[in-house]
Amino acid sequence: ILPNEFNSVIEIGCGSGDMYEPLGFNSCRYHGLDFSPAMIEAFDARYPEANVEVRDLRDFDGSEPVDLIFSHGVVQFISLADFAEQVARSAKLLKPGGHIIHASALRKACRDAFLAGELSENIESPMKTLARRAMEKLGMRHTMGFWYDVAEVRGIAKKNGLKFQAFGSLFYPYRF
């Protein structure tokens, strides 16, 4: 459960509501966004009192300042440029002292070790490695999404006047 200081929350990529009650979002003013109509339908069936809508995070500007903008496992599916734009829009939506938490981003420095199977049981064959590198050179992204450099994310936060902290994960060392 998040601290009680968060009275208003926007959750980006709220899915079917799996984080809504466990993180205590049900005890504050809440606005959930997800691009999937099926996920929003499932969320609404579980928590009809919640304010949720089908919306792509890249076109959400909001109207009321909030204490927290939260996502989990979402930013890996948008490019660094779209992420930078989203952070800029989010920074404008925060109340003084508000927070943006984007949890579980893929850490670029760990990508090769992850794909080689050193950080998981996901071992990539030499042929897959060659194919992946060719795809990346053509501008195609890996199926896991975009991998972020912590320094780039820090720069985006600084550019928008935000403090930045990154935390690693014991269970998923390739995420921050």
Side-chain angles (χ1 to χ4, degrees), residues 14-16 32-34 36-45 52-54:
C14 62
S16 62
L33 311 171
D34 202 286
S36 168
M39 287 291 163
I40 291 297
E41 187 177 316
F43 193 125
D44 200 37
V52 295
E53 69 174 302
V54 176

Side-chain angles (χ1 to χ4, degrees), residues 59-124:
D59 68 5
F60 181 75
D61 286 326
S63 59
E64 287 185 46
V66 295
D67 298 306
L68 173 65
I69 297 173
F70 175 83
S71 77
H72 182 271
V74 172
V75 299
Q76 74 193 51
F77 298 109
I78 62 172
S79 69
L80 186 63
D82 285 340
F83 176 70
E85 289 178 25
Q86 190 279 324
V87 169
R89 283 193 309 274
S90 293
K92 293 175 186 171
L93 284 173
L94 289 178
K95 290 180 181 178
H99 294 78
I100 299 171
I101 299 175
H102 290 300
S104 202
L106 295 171
R107 187 175 183 179
K108 189 183 277 186
C110 298
R111 180 177 57 190
D112 289 338
F114 173 81
L115 294 173
E118 296 168 13
L119 302 175
S120 72
E121 294 184 23
N122 179 31
I123 299 174
E124 187 175 74

Side-chain angles (χ1 to χ4, degrees), residues 155-167:
I156 291 168
K158 185 176 180 180
K159 180 179 178 182
N160 289 284
L162 301 168
K163 293 179 184 176
F164 175 81
Q165 286 183 295
F167 300 93

